[in-house]
Each structure stands twice: as structure tokens, then as C-alpha cells.
Amino acid sequence: MSTTWTNWAGTVTALPEVLRPRTPEALAGVVRDAAERGRRVRPVGSGHSFTAVARPADLQLSLEHLSGIVSADRETGRVRVLAGTPLRVLNRALDLLGLAMPNLGDIDAQTISGALSTGTHGTGATLPGLTGAIAGLRLVTPDGESRWIDASEPQLFGAARVGLGALGVITEIELACVPAYRLRAVERPDSLDAVLPRIQEHFDAHRHFELYWFPGTRRVQTKANDLVGDDVDEPLAPWRRRLDDEILSNTVFGAANRLLVRAPRAVLPFNAIAARALTERVYTGRSHEVFCTPRTVRFVESEYAVPREAVTDVLTDLAAWVARRREPISFPVEVRVAAPDDIWLSTGYERANAYIAVHQYHRGDHRAYFAAFEDIVAAHAGRPHWGKMHRLGADELAALYPRMADFRAVRDRLDPDRVLSNDYLERVLGP
Ligand SMILES: Cc1cc2nc3c(=O)[nH]c(=O)nc-3n(C[C@H](O)[C@H](O)[C@H](O)COP(=O)(O)OP(=O)(O)OC[C@H]3O[C@@H](n4cnc5c(N)ncnc54)[C@H](O)[C@@H]3O)c2cc1C
């Protein structure tokens, strides 16, 4: 029976037949069977990609029953986890074991395999994306084979860690976790003019540093997270967390956005008021609780990685465009940083990046804004996040990823009949 599927942002829909295997062996059977019958099958995580990367062309493979920790070694930090495990489940389970992911992004709704397959990242000048924690993974290929892939096979390991679901279906992942840690978060309003000239220093001064800039204003909110010992305990008062994260960031913000769609001219004054309403807050907490916050107001997003030295030019050009056009953009621009890695299709492949993300309310018009943003980052060899909206095709991406031809060769070998393919993969990787 077919069911309507929509991604989180509402930008992609499909009417797939959904298969929900209960064991890795059953999953291998489903993939082999689909291949033998000439059908296409697409694994899906939590549907949090804004692009059509997860859209099923035919069958949809849900890993919702393949969730949880398989084994854990507290001494080495090596943890094996089933591929459909949501990050929020993983983070709590790791915490109970006295372990944690070295870094995380803004939310914990994604599945571990969905997050890794598109190269999801957090912020931190010395830390690569979440994929930096992969020590090995089990991949079921369309021939029904189940292969364990790790650093002992550099070609497959280079390709499969950010595989876009194009090489096979991941059933299990081994993560190199770190001892559980606590963070002290310092969130502070500031001005773009004060922060931009020193942004590289800010990146380097903290384990994690990020910046939110409110378009149409010169105001920013910075967020620096650093390690803190167990002896320092400054929790955020529950009422303050609820006020800031749930009421102001979600309920009131959502209501304001619904009104602003009908009164776009009010957006710039709204941003000025919203940015001025931000105050400083300092608190400590477990790493995953500090990193991840709820997001209930739907938006669309585009995010590019640029060499980190280019961040000032990109933000200056974007601010000039917004000031000139006075576009009604009610969401802040998010700026992060990450260390290079060796994963072929990772945005961080052999490059230290700054990440710049533009957002727009899902019912607003993002087209002119995102197009201008993409023009600006194109001048800096910007690499788009695979899960976030972008217009690039296979030829342009091949010029940005030195190992793209090698990735395609692995794809030809593992999925010659394109059992796993969909329109998005054809666009970004080629037929
Ligand atoms: C509100 C919000 C906040 C976000 N914050 C961040 C952030 O802070 N940092 C960041 O980098 N990104 C962020 N993202 C993007 C998000 O992390 C990625 O798009 C991620 O891929 C979504 O994971 P998912 O489980 O929803 O996967 P899906 O979107 O469902 O799938 C993504 C890809 O993974 C593949 N896949 C899923 N499971 C498997 C499997 N078992 N084997 C092989 N392939 C598989 C799918 O086929 C698809 O290609 C955010 C997105 C949203 C909506």
C-alpha cells in the first residue's frame, strides 16, 4: 500500500510503498529482492533533509525498527549502533554509558545514518563534522551483500562515510565516542561590525563558536561553548529555557512569521526588535543538551561551506545585498566553522571551512535571497550541504570535489543498475 511521505520542511513529497524490515538480515533481503525485480529502493531517515536527497522513486525503506545500541566499550569509546537510531535516543544512551559524540549539530531529530550520509556538522575549528566519529560501518549493497567497511579499506571508507544513500544501505555504524563532557555556553548580543573583523580569533578561541546575524540589521548573537568541569554547575533556570527556546524561539516566533507572510514590509522592523530583545545568557549543561534545541517553526534552508578565510567577504556581500534589496527575511543567518577531513564527498574534504546558512520561513519567498546567496558563495568555491537547498548539478559539483570521479566509480561498482537512485542523485552525481 502506498503512503504519502513529506519531508520536515514540506519541500518534498512522494507516494511510496514503505518497507519496514525488523532485522538487518530482512533488510538485506528487501534490497536484494527489489534489485532482482528491477525496482528502486531508497532508505530514509527522519526526513529532515531540505533537498530531495531522500525522495523515494519507488520503494521507501524505513529503518525505524533498526534502532538502538548494539555494543559499547566504555574503555575505548567504541560504540556500535543500529543505523535507524535517532540522535536523541543515541545521545541519551551514550550519556548513560558515560560517553558522548565529539560534536553535534543544532537538533537531535535526525537518524544517525541520515545525518552521516549527508555530512551533517556542528561547529568547532578543531572538530570535523559528525562523520569524523565514524570508525566503521556495515553496508548492504543491491546484490544483497553485507560488507563491513573501515579504514583498512581506504577506497570504500573514503566513499561510504558520506554516501548520500547512493552506495548501499547502512545497517550498523561504529562510532568513536569520547568521555561524556559538559559545556559552558556563553550567548551574547553584539554587532556584526565588531565581530566580523575578529571572527577568526573567535573561531580559534573556543571549542565551539557560532554566530547568528539578523538580516537587515547589524546585530548578531554569538554563542561560544567550552568544556567545563563537573564542579561548575550553572544550569539555565527552567523558566528561562522555556521562555527563550520554546516560547520566544518557537511559539512567538512562529506566530510572528505567520503574520509577517501577510505583511512582508514589517519584517525588517521585526528583525530589529527581535535582535534587540536578545540578552546575554550563560549556563552549563551536558554536551548534547547544550548543542541541541527544539525547532518547531518550519523553515527552508540553504547552507554552503566556504574556505574559512572567505567568511568575512561572504557575509559582507550578503549584508550589502540584503541592505540594497530590503528583502523580508525573518530568520537569522547562521555561521559555523569545522576542521578538514578526508571523506571524499564531505564538504570538509581537505579544507577548513566556515559554514554559512540562510533560512526563510517555509511560507515565505526564499527564491531571490537564496539565488543571491548562491551567487556570492560560488565566487569562493562554496560546497553545498547535501541535505540543504542548492541549485548545483553534477558538473559543477565535480569541479568542487577532487574525488568525485572516484566516488562515481565506487557507485558504478556497488550499484551498477542504480537500484538506489532517485532524481536528486542523478542531478548531483550523474545518471
Ligand atoms: C531543523 C533542522 C536542523 C538541522 N540542523 C543541522 C545542523 O545543525 N547541521 C547540519 O549539518 N545539518 C542540519 N540539518 C540537516 C540534516 O542534518 C540533514 O539533512 C540530515 O541528513 C537529516 O537526517 P535524516 O535522518 O532526517 O535523513 P533523511 O533526510 O531522511 O535522509 C538523508 C539521506 O540519508 C540517506 N539515508 C538515510 N538512512 C540511510 C541508511 N540507513 N543508509 C544509507 N543512506 C541512508 C537517505 O537516503 C538520504 O540520502 C538540519 C535539518 C533540519 C530540518
Side-chain angles (χ1 to χ4, degrees):
M1 201 184 73
S2 300
T3 319
T4 304
W5 173 80
T6 309
N7 66 340
W8 178 86
T11 48
V12 183
T13 52
L15 199 65
E17 187 183 324
V18 187
L19 304 166
R20 299 183 172 85
R22 290 186 173 271
T23 62
E25 295 73 29
L27 182 147
V30 163
V31 174
R32 191 187 317 110
D33 188 52
E36 281 168 6
R37 288 190 291 131
R39 299 196 66 173
R40 281 185 164 190
V41 61
R42 193 86 191 118
V44 68
S46 306
H48 273 59
S49 295
F50 298 87
T51 59
V53 66
R55 175 159 46 203
D58 179 9
L59 303 170
Q60 183 176 61
L61 190 56
S62 162
L63 277 78
E64 67 194 61
H65 297 307
L66 297 179
S67 173
I69 288 188
V70 178
S71 64
D73 183 333
R74 291 181 197 215
E75 292 294 304
T76 62
R78 292 296 173 97
V79 175
R80 286 205 181 187
V81 58
L82 289 170
T85 310
L87 289 181
R88 78 168 73 81
V89 172
L90 174 68
N91 293 337
R92 284 188 206 135
L94 291 179
D95 196 39
L96 290 174
L97 291 163
L99 296 170
M101 290 286 283
N103 202 2
L104 288 168
D106 292 339
I107 59 160
D108 57 10
Q110 310 95 318
T111 59
I112 184 69
S113 54
L116 297 174
S117 295
T118 61
T120 294
H121 62 91
T123 189
T126 60
L127 299 162
L130 272 61
T131 42
I134 305 178
L137 56 89
R138 185 168 296 287
L139 193 70
V140 169
T141 43
D143 55 8
E145 283 286 305
S146 169
R147 307 152 196 262
W148 182 254
I149 298 171
D150 59 24
S152 65
E153 286 189 87
Q155 295 289 310
L156 284 179
F157 200 49
R161 279 173 289 168
V162 177
L164 311 180
L167 306 179
V169 181
I170 303 167
T171 55
E172 193 176 310
I173 299 163
E174 184 169 306
L175 297 165
C177 297
V178 296
Y181 54 100
R182 297 177 69 251
L183 292 169
R184 180 167 193 264
V186 178
E187 299 172 8
R188 183 170 281 157
D190 210 325
S191 83
L192 193 61
D193 304 291
V195 174
L196 261 196
R198 297 186 49 214
I199 193 160
Q200 302 295 338
E201 282 170 57
H202 290 299
F203 283 156
D204 289 326
H206 303 282
R207 190 176 194 268
H208 312 273
F209 179 84
E210 67 187 303
L211 172 73
Y212 291 93
W213 163 57
F214 293 81
T217 77
R218 303 298 289 177
R219 289 174 189 269
V220 300
Q221 180 85 345
T222 62
K223 180 171 177 179
N225 295 332
D226 286 291
L227 296 178
V228 70
D230 288 343
D231 50 324
V232 186
D233 196 15
E234 306 167 56
L236 198 59
W239 66 266
R240 178 80 201 258
R241 181 176 292 279
R242 208 173 114 68
L243 178 72
D244 291 349
D245 291 345
E246 288 181 34
I247 300 176
L248 293 182
S249 301
N250 287 305
T251 314
V252 172
F253 189 56
N257 269 287
R258 283 194 292 282
L259 292 174
L260 291 169
V261 170
R262 278 183 252 133
R265 287 224 190 108
V267 167
L268 292 181
F270 168 78
N271 280 0
I273 294 166
R276 238 176 270 134
L278 288 166
T279 51
E280 177 164 327
R281 58 180 200 172
V282 178
Y283 57 95
T284 60
R286 295 174 137 78
S287 57
H288 63 277
E289 289 168 358
V290 171
F291 289 131
C292 304
T293 49
R295 300 284 158 101
T296 58
V297 185
R298 308 265 154 170
F299 56 84
V300 292
E301 177 172 351
S302 177
E303 182 179 54
Y304 274 71
V306 294
R308 61 177 263 190
E309 321 76 71
V311 65
T312 306
D313 286 349
V314 171
L315 286 174
T316 304
D317 289 354
L318 194 60
W321 185 88
V322 172
R324 210 166 47 242
R325 288 285 300 252
R326 300 186 63 76
E327 282 285 315
I329 303 151
S330 56
F331 274 70
V333 172
E334 187 177 12
V335 182
R336 294 180 275 184
V337 67
D341 60 46
D342 63 350
I343 306 171
W344 294 356
L345 292 196
S346 165
T347 45
Y349 182 72
E350 294 190 343
R351 195 169 89 180
N353 283 313
Y355 288 84
I356 299 157
V358 295
H359 312 78
Q360 179 65 300
Y361 185 50
H362 70 128
R363 293 199 187 109
D365 188 352
H366 66 272
R367 288 168 299 181
Y369 178 39
F370 284 17
F373 171 64
E374 291 203 70
D375 289 344
I376 292 168
V377 289
H380 300 281
R383 295 172 177 166
H385 187 306
W386 297 105
K388 301 189 184 177
M389 292 156 82
H390 69 92
R391 64 184 179 208
L392 301 192
D395 291 343
E396 290 142 313
L397 289 159
L400 293 165
Y401 285 93
R403 304 302 298 269
M404 179 62 94
D406 298 318
F407 185 91
R408 286 187 190 157
V410 172
R411 183 184 184 215
D412 286 344
R413 182 152 66 86
L414 298 184
D415 186 18
D417 300 324
R418 303 296 188 253
V419 172
L420 295 156
S421 199
N422 66 6
D423 290 352
Y424 180 82
L425 291 189
E426 283 178 22
R427 188 186 111 202
V428 299
L429 299 176

mmCIF file of all heavy atoms in Angstrom, residues 207-241:
data_model
loop_
_atom_site.group_PDB
_atom_site.id
_atom_site.type_symbol
_atom_site.label_atom_id
_atom_site.label_comp_id
_atom_site.label_asym_id
_atom_site.label_seq_id
_atom_site.Cartn_x
_atom_site.Cartn_y
_atom_site.Cartn_z
ATOM 1 N N ARG A 207 36.081 25.911 21.860
ATOM 2 C CA ARG A 207 35.854 24.569 21.295
ATOM 3 C C ARG A 207 34.746 24.649 20.245
ATOM 4 O O ARG A 207 34.808 24.026 19.198
ATOM 5 C CB ARG A 207 35.479 23.586 22.411
ATOM 6 C CG ARG A 207 35.461 22.104 21.939
ATOM 7 C CD ARG A 207 35.175 21.180 23.115
ATOM 8 N NE ARG A 207 35.473 19.786 22.812
ATOM 9 C CZ ARG A 207 34.580 18.905 22.332
ATOM 10 N NH1 ARG A 207 33.345 19.292 22.091
ATOM 11 N NH2 ARG A 207 34.925 17.660 22.085
ATOM 12 N N HIS A 208 33.725 25.455 20.540
ATOM 13 C CA HIS A 208 32.627 25.644 19.584
ATOM 14 C C HIS A 208 32.277 27.133 19.557
ATOM 15 O O HIS A 208 32.070 27.723 20.629
ATOM 16 C CB HIS A 208 31.366 24.889 20.021
ATOM 17 C CG HIS A 208 31.624 23.470 20.408
ATOM 18 N ND1 HIS A 208 31.630 22.441 19.502
ATOM 19 C CD2 HIS A 208 31.911 22.908 21.611
ATOM 20 C CE1 HIS A 208 31.898 21.317 20.122
ATOM 21 N NE2 HIS A 208 32.090 21.569 21.406
ATOM 22 N N PHE A 209 32.196 27.706 18.354
ATOM 23 C CA PHE A 209 31.766 29.107 18.257
ATOM 24 C C PHE A 209 30.822 29.239 17.081
ATOM 25 O O PHE A 209 31.074 28.689 16.009
ATOM 26 C CB PHE A 209 32.975 30.035 18.040
ATOM 27 C CG PHE A 209 32.570 31.483 17.899
ATOM 28 C CD1 PHE A 209 32.355 32.261 19.036
ATOM 29 C CD2 PHE A 209 32.371 32.054 16.644
ATOM 30 C CE1 PHE A 209 31.950 33.584 18.913
ATOM 31 C CE2 PHE A 209 31.971 33.375 16.520
ATOM 32 C CZ PHE A 209 31.760 34.145 17.657
ATOM 33 N N GLU A 210 29.717 29.945 17.299
ATOM 34 C CA GLU A 210 28.841 30.241 16.163
ATOM 35 C C GLU A 210 28.228 31.613 16.316
ATOM 36 O O GLU A 210 28.250 32.215 17.392
ATOM 37 C CB GLU A 210 27.777 29.166 15.960
ATOM 38 C CG GLU A 210 26.740 29.057 17.027
ATOM 39 C CD GLU A 210 25.856 27.829 16.789
ATOM 40 O OE1 GLU A 210 25.257 27.716 15.710
ATOM 41 O OE2 GLU A 210 25.759 27.003 17.715
ATOM 42 N N LEU A 211 27.689 32.065 15.191
ATOM 43 C CA LEU A 211 27.209 33.435 15.096
ATOM 44 C C LEU A 211 25.857 33.418 14.409
ATOM 45 O O LEU A 211 25.677 32.707 13.417
ATOM 46 C CB LEU A 211 28.221 34.167 14.206
ATOM 47 C CG LEU A 211 27.950 35.567 13.745
ATOM 48 C CD1 LEU A 211 28.136 36.500 14.927
ATOM 49 C CD2 LEU A 211 28.955 35.945 12.652
ATOM 50 N N TYR A 212 24.912 34.179 14.958
ATOM 51 C CA TYR A 212 23.629 34.384 14.266
ATOM 52 C C TYR A 212 23.534 35.864 13.908
ATOM 53 O O TYR A 212 23.602 36.715 14.805
ATOM 54 C CB TYR A 212 22.456 34.012 15.168
ATOM 55 C CG TYR A 212 22.348 32.533 15.442
ATOM 56 C CD1 TYR A 212 22.953 31.970 16.567
ATOM 57 C CD2 TYR A 212 21.643 31.702 14.583
ATOM 58 C CE1 TYR A 212 22.866 30.613 16.814
ATOM 59 C CE2 TYR A 212 21.549 30.338 14.822
ATOM 60 C CZ TYR A 212 22.161 29.810 15.939
ATOM 61 O OH TYR A 212 22.079 28.457 16.182
ATOM 62 N N TRP A 213 23.370 36.147 12.632
ATOM 63 C CA TRP A 213 23.228 37.546 12.198
ATOM 64 C C TRP A 213 21.785 37.759 11.730
ATOM 65 O O TRP A 213 21.228 36.936 10.999
ATOM 66 C CB TRP A 213 24.216 37.836 11.054
ATOM 67 C CG TRP A 213 23.865 39.084 10.303
ATOM 68 C CD1 TRP A 213 23.718 40.339 10.805
ATOM 69 C CD2 TRP A 213 23.574 39.167 8.894
ATOM 70 N NE1 TRP A 213 23.365 41.202 9.798
ATOM 71 C CE2 TRP A 213 23.267 40.506 8.629
ATOM 72 C CE3 TRP A 213 23.559 38.240 7.845
ATOM 73 C CZ2 TRP A 213 22.932 40.958 7.339
ATOM 74 C CZ3 TRP A 213 23.230 38.672 6.577
ATOM 75 C CH2 TRP A 213 22.929 40.021 6.329
ATOM 76 N N PHE A 214 21.203 38.889 12.152
ATOM 77 C CA PHE A 214 19.811 39.186 11.798
ATOM 78 C C PHE A 214 19.780 40.063 10.562
ATOM 79 O O PHE A 214 20.113 41.253 10.633
ATOM 80 C CB PHE A 214 19.103 39.861 12.994
ATOM 81 C CG PHE A 214 18.952 38.908 14.144
ATOM 82 C CD1 PHE A 214 20.018 38.670 15.005
ATOM 83 C CD2 PHE A 214 17.781 38.189 14.313
ATOM 84 C CE1 PHE A 214 19.911 37.737 16.035
ATOM 85 C CE2 PHE A 214 17.674 37.258 15.333
ATOM 86 C CZ PHE A 214 18.730 37.029 16.187
ATOM 87 N N PRO A 215 19.401 39.523 9.406
ATOM 88 C CA PRO A 215 19.462 40.269 8.145
ATOM 89 C C PRO A 215 18.655 41.561 8.222
ATOM 90 O O PRO A 215 17.578 41.601 8.811
ATOM 91 C CB PRO A 215 18.830 39.310 7.125
ATOM 92 C CG PRO A 215 18.951 37.967 7.720
ATOM 93 C CD PRO A 215 18.880 38.160 9.210
ATOM 94 N N GLY A 216 19.241 42.586 7.610
ATOM 95 C CA GLY A 216 18.567 43.890 7.625
ATOM 96 C C GLY A 216 18.961 44.708 8.843
ATOM 97 O O GLY A 216 18.571 45.862 8.982
ATOM 98 N N THR A 217 19.725 44.098 9.761
ATOM 99 C CA THR A 217 20.242 44.833 10.919
ATOM 100 C C THR A 217 21.764 44.587 10.943
ATOM 101 O O THR A 217 22.274 43.787 10.158
ATOM 102 C CB THR A 217 19.660 44.314 12.252
ATOM 103 O OG1 THR A 217 20.334 43.098 12.590
ATOM 104 C CG2 THR A 217 18.164 44.036 12.142
ATOM 105 N N ARG A 218 22.467 45.230 11.842
ATOM 106 C CA ARG A 218 23.895 44.929 12.034
ATOM 107 C C ARG A 218 24.056 44.116 13.319
ATOM 108 O O ARG A 218 25.148 44.012 13.851
ATOM 109 C CB ARG A 218 24.729 46.219 12.120
ATOM 110 C CG ARG A 218 24.602 47.153 10.936
ATOM 111 C CD ARG A 218 25.067 46.576 9.621
ATOM 112 N NE ARG A 218 26.517 46.416 9.526
ATOM 113 C CZ ARG A 218 27.125 45.863 8.475
ATOM 114 N NH1 ARG A 218 26.405 45.395 7.456
ATOM 115 N NH2 ARG A 218 28.432 45.752 8.437
ATOM 116 N N ARG A 219 22.959 43.579 13.820
ATOM 117 C CA ARG A 219 23.025 42.883 15.108
ATOM 118 C C ARG A 219 23.282 41.390 14.949
ATOM 119 O O ARG A 219 22.788 40.767 14.011
ATOM 120 C CB ARG A 219 21.731 43.089 15.886
ATOM 121 C CG ARG A 219 21.612 44.495 16.395
ATOM 122 C CD ARG A 219 20.277 44.751 17.044
ATOM 123 N NE ARG A 219 20.153 46.174 17.319
ATOM 124 C CZ ARG A 219 20.524 46.759 18.455
ATOM 125 N NH1 ARG A 219 21.017 46.034 19.431
ATOM 126 N NH2 ARG A 219 20.390 48.055 18.613
ATOM 127 N N VAL A 220 24.054 40.860 15.895
ATOM 128 C CA VAL A 220 24.340 39.427 15.907
ATOM 129 C C VAL A 220 24.172 38.891 17.326
ATOM 130 O O VAL A 220 24.181 39.651 18.294
ATOM 131 C CB VAL A 220 25.779 39.097 15.431
ATOM 132 C CG1 VAL A 220 26.014 39.577 14.011
ATOM 133 C CG2 VAL A 220 26.826 39.667 16.378
ATOM 134 N N GLN A 221 24.036 37.589 17.406
ATOM 135 C CA GLN A 221 24.104 36.896 18.692
ATOM 136 C C GLN A 221 25.239 35.888 18.542
ATOM 137 O O GLN A 221 25.227 35.088 17.596
ATOM 138 C CB GLN A 221 22.762 36.187 18.972
ATOM 139 C CG GLN A 221 22.698 35.426 20.264
ATOM 140 C CD GLN A 221 22.318 36.311 21.469
ATOM 141 O OE1 GLN A 221 22.370 37.540 21.371
ATOM 142 N NE2 GLN A 221 21.983 35.716 22.580
ATOM 143 N N THR A 222 26.231 35.927 19.410
ATOM 144 C CA THR A 222 27.303 34.929 19.340
ATOM 145 C C THR A 222 27.023 33.847 20.382
ATOM 146 O O THR A 222 26.380 34.095 21.404
ATOM 147 C CB THR A 222 28.685 35.551 19.621
ATOM 148 O OG1 THR A 222 28.689 36.088 20.944
ATOM 149 C CG2 THR A 222 29.032 36.626 18.613
ATOM 150 N N LYS A 223 27.539 32.645 20.070
ATOM 151 C CA LYS A 223 27.359 31.541 21.023
ATOM 152 C C LYS A 223 28.688 30.796 21.109
ATOM 153 O O LYS A 223 29.154 30.251 20.107
ATOM 154 C CB LYS A 223 26.233 30.627 20.535
ATOM 155 C CG LYS A 223 25.976 29.474 21.456
ATOM 156 C CD LYS A 223 24.721 28.702 21.088
ATOM 157 C CE LYS A 223 24.589 27.518 22.036
ATOM 158 N NZ LYS A 223 23.436 26.702 21.827
ATOM 159 N N ALA A 224 29.306 30.809 22.268
ATOM 160 C CA ALA A 224 30.576 30.104 22.472
ATOM 161 C C ALA A 224 30.361 29.021 23.521
ATOM 162 O O ALA A 224 29.829 29.292 24.606
ATOM 163 C CB ALA A 224 31.643 31.083 22.941
ATOM 164 N N ASN A 225 30.751 27.789 23.169
ATOM 165 C CA ASN A 225 30.631 26.661 24.112
ATOM 166 C C ASN A 225 32.027 26.124 24.406
ATOM 167 O O ASN A 225 32.759 25.801 23.471
ATOM 168 C CB ASN A 225 29.816 25.519 23.505
ATOM 169 C CG ASN A 225 28.373 25.897 23.239
ATOM 170 O OD1 ASN A 225 27.817 26.750 23.924
ATOM 171 N ND2 ASN A 225 27.778 25.274 22.248
ATOM 172 N N ASP A 226 32.359 26.017 25.681
ATOM 173 C CA ASP A 226 33.667 25.476 26.058
ATOM 174 C C ASP A 226 33.511 24.437 27.156
ATOM 175 O O ASP A 226 32.541 24.468 27.927
ATOM 176 C CB ASP A 226 34.578 26.614 26.522
ATOM 177 C CG ASP A 226 35.055 27.445 25.336
ATOM 178 O OD1 ASP A 226 35.841 26.911 24.539
ATOM 179 O OD2 ASP A 226 34.601 28.599 25.186
ATOM 180 N N LEU A 227 34.513 23.541 27.224
ATOM 181 C CA LEU A 227 34.475 22.477 28.220
ATOM 182 C C LEU A 227 34.476 23.064 29.629
ATOM 183 O O LEU A 227 35.158 24.059 29.887
ATOM 184 C CB LEU A 227 35.700 21.567 28.064
ATOM 185 C CG LEU A 227 35.811 20.788 26.755
ATOM 186 C CD1 LEU A 227 37.101 19.983 26.740
ATOM 187 C CD2 LEU A 227 34.609 19.864 26.569
ATOM 188 N N VAL A 228 33.731 22.422 30.498
ATOM 189 C CA VAL A 228 33.718 22.857 31.887
ATOM 190 C C VAL A 228 33.663 21.605 32.765
ATOM 191 O O VAL A 228 33.089 20.583 32.362
ATOM 192 C CB VAL A 228 32.515 23.809 32.132
ATOM 193 C CG1 VAL A 228 31.185 23.077 32.080
ATOM 194 C CG2 VAL A 228 32.652 24.563 33.418
ATOM 195 N N GLY A 229 34.273 21.686 33.938
ATOM 196 C CA GLY A 229 34.308 20.516 34.830
ATOM 197 C C GLY A 229 32.972 20.309 35.532
ATOM 198 O O GLY A 229 32.088 21.170 35.506
ATOM 199 N N ASP A 230 32.866 19.159 36.190
ATOM 200 C CA ASP A 230 31.624 18.836 36.894
ATOM 201 C C ASP A 230 31.380 19.761 38.085
ATOM 202 O O ASP A 230 30.258 19.869 38.590
ATOM 203 C CB ASP A 230 31.683 17.388 37.422
ATOM 204 C CG ASP A 230 31.560 16.402 36.281
ATOM 205 O OD1 ASP A 230 31.122 16.821 35.193
ATOM 206 O OD2 ASP A 230 31.925 15.230 36.474
ATOM 207 N N ASP A 231 32.471 20.421 38.560
ATOM 208 C CA ASP A 231 32.324 21.266 39.746
ATOM 209 C C ASP A 231 31.586 22.572 39.442
ATOM 210 O O ASP A 231 31.100 23.239 40.348
ATOM 211 C CB ASP A 231 33.710 21.561 40.343
ATOM 212 C CG ASP A 231 34.699 22.055 39.287
ATOM 213 O OD1 ASP A 231 34.606 21.559 38.137
ATOM 214 O OD2 ASP A 231 35.515 22.942 39.593
ATOM 215 N N VAL A 232 31.522 22.954 38.157
ATOM 216 C CA VAL A 232 30.823 24.207 37.822
ATOM 217 C C VAL A 232 29.411 23.855 37.367
ATOM 218 O O VAL A 232 29.231 23.158 36.371
ATOM 219 C CB VAL A 232 31.543 24.964 36.676
ATOM 220 C CG1 VAL A 232 30.897 26.320 36.438
ATOM 221 C CG2 VAL A 232 33.016 25.092 36.962
ATOM 222 N N ASP A 233 28.435 24.338 38.107
ATOM 223 C CA ASP A 233 27.056 23.997 37.753
ATOM 224 C C ASP A 233 26.206 25.267 37.743
ATOM 225 O O ASP A 233 25.834 25.793 38.784
ATOM 226 C CB ASP A 233 26.515 22.976 38.776
ATOM 227 C CG ASP A 233 25.257 22.309 38.244
ATOM 228 O OD1 ASP A 233 25.000 22.434 37.024
ATOM 229 O OD2 ASP A 233 24.535 21.693 39.035
ATOM 230 N N GLU A 234 25.989 25.767 36.537
ATOM 231 C CA GLU A 234 25.158 26.972 36.395
ATOM 232 C C GLU A 234 24.034 26.644 35.424
ATOM 233 O O GLU A 234 24.050 27.110 34.280
ATOM 234 C CB GLU A 234 25.974 28.130 35.815
ATOM 235 C CG GLU A 234 27.249 28.483 36.530
ATOM 236 C CD GLU A 234 28.115 29.420 35.676
ATOM 237 O OE1 GLU A 234 27.654 30.496 35.270
ATOM 238 O OE2 GLU A 234 29.262 29.049 35.395
ATOM 239 N N PRO A 235 23.090 25.793 35.817
ATOM 240 C CA PRO A 235 22.050 25.411 34.849
ATOM 241 C C PRO A 235 21.170 26.600 34.493
ATOM 242 O O PRO A 235 21.023 27.535 35.286
ATOM 243 C CB PRO A 235 21.248 24.346 35.607
ATOM 244 C CG PRO A 235 21.493 24.628 37.045
ATOM 245 C CD PRO A 235 22.858 25.238 37.151
ATOM 246 N N LEU A 236 20.623 26.548 33.303
ATOM 247 C CA LEU A 236 19.673 27.570 32.888
ATOM 248 C C LEU A 236 18.381 27.304 33.650
ATOM 249 O O LEU A 236 17.913 26.168 33.699
ATOM 250 C CB LEU A 236 19.432 27.415 31.384
ATOM 251 C CG LEU A 236 18.830 28.588 30.630
ATOM 252 C CD1 LEU A 236 19.698 29.830 30.755
ATOM 253 C CD2 LEU A 236 18.667 28.210 29.161
ATOM 254 N N ALA A 237 17.836 28.354 34.278
ATOM 255 C CA ALA A 237 16.583 28.150 35.011
ATOM 256 C C ALA A 237 15.534 27.587 34.045
ATOM 257 O O ALA A 237 15.450 28.053 32.907
ATOM 258 C CB ALA A 237 16.115 29.476 35.590
ATOM 259 N N PRO A 238 14.751 26.599 34.497
ATOM 260 C CA PRO A 238 13.764 26.003 33.585
ATOM 261 C C PRO A 238 12.852 27.042 32.938
ATOM 262 O O PRO A 238 12.522 26.947 31.769
ATOM 263 C CB PRO A 238 12.975 25.053 34.490
ATOM 264 C CG PRO A 238 13.893 24.744 35.626
ATOM 265 C CD PRO A 238 14.769 25.944 35.806
ATOM 266 N N TRP A 239 12.458 28.089 33.714
ATOM 267 C CA TRP A 239 11.562 29.095 33.123
ATOM 268 C C TRP A 239 12.274 29.843 32.007
ATOM 269 O O TRP A 239 11.691 30.202 30.985
ATOM 270 C CB TRP A 239 11.044 30.076 34.189
ATOM 271 C CG TRP A 239 12.117 30.958 34.804
ATOM 272 C CD1 TRP A 239 12.801 30.719 35.947
ATOM 273 C CD2 TRP A 239 12.632 32.185 34.274
ATOM 274 N NE1 TRP A 239 13.734 31.709 36.174
ATOM 275 C CE2 TRP A 239 13.635 32.639 35.169
ATOM 276 C CE3 TRP A 239 12.359 32.963 33.151
ATOM 277 C CZ2 TRP A 239 14.359 33.807 34.963
ATOM 278 C CZ3 TRP A 239 13.082 34.141 32.935
ATOM 279 C CH2 TRP A 239 14.075 34.547 33.847
ATOM 280 N N ARG A 240 13.627 30.078 32.159
ATOM 281 C CA ARG A 240 14.367 30.835 31.142
ATOM 282 C C ARG A 240 14.521 29.985 29.871
ATOM 283 O O ARG A 240 14.382 30.465 28.754
ATOM 284 C CB ARG A 240 15.749 31.200 31.713
ATOM 285 C CG ARG A 240 16.659 31.960 30.758
ATOM 286 C CD ARG A 240 16.312 33.439 30.701
ATOM 287 N NE ARG A 240 16.802 34.055 29.480
ATOM 288 C CZ ARG A 240 17.891 34.815 29.387
ATOM 289 N NH1 ARG A 240 18.615 35.073 30.448
ATOM 290 N NH2 ARG A 240 18.247 35.352 28.239
ATOM 291 N N ARG A 241 14.801 28.682 30.069
ATOM 292 C CA ARG A 241 14.915 27.815 28.900
ATOM 293 C C ARG A 241 13.588 27.783 28.146
ATOM 294 O O ARG A 241 13.537 27.889 26.926
ATOM 295 C CB ARG A 241 15.316 26.384 29.320
ATOM 296 C CG ARG A 241 15.462 25.441 28.130
ATOM 297 C CD ARG A 241 15.939 24.073 28.551
ATOM 298 N NE ARG A 241 17.306 24.057 29.054
ATOM 299 C CZ ARG A 241 18.391 24.031 28.284
ATOM 300 N NH1 ARG A 241 18.270 24.039 26.978
ATOM 301 N NH2 ARG A 241 19.593 24.007 28.825
#
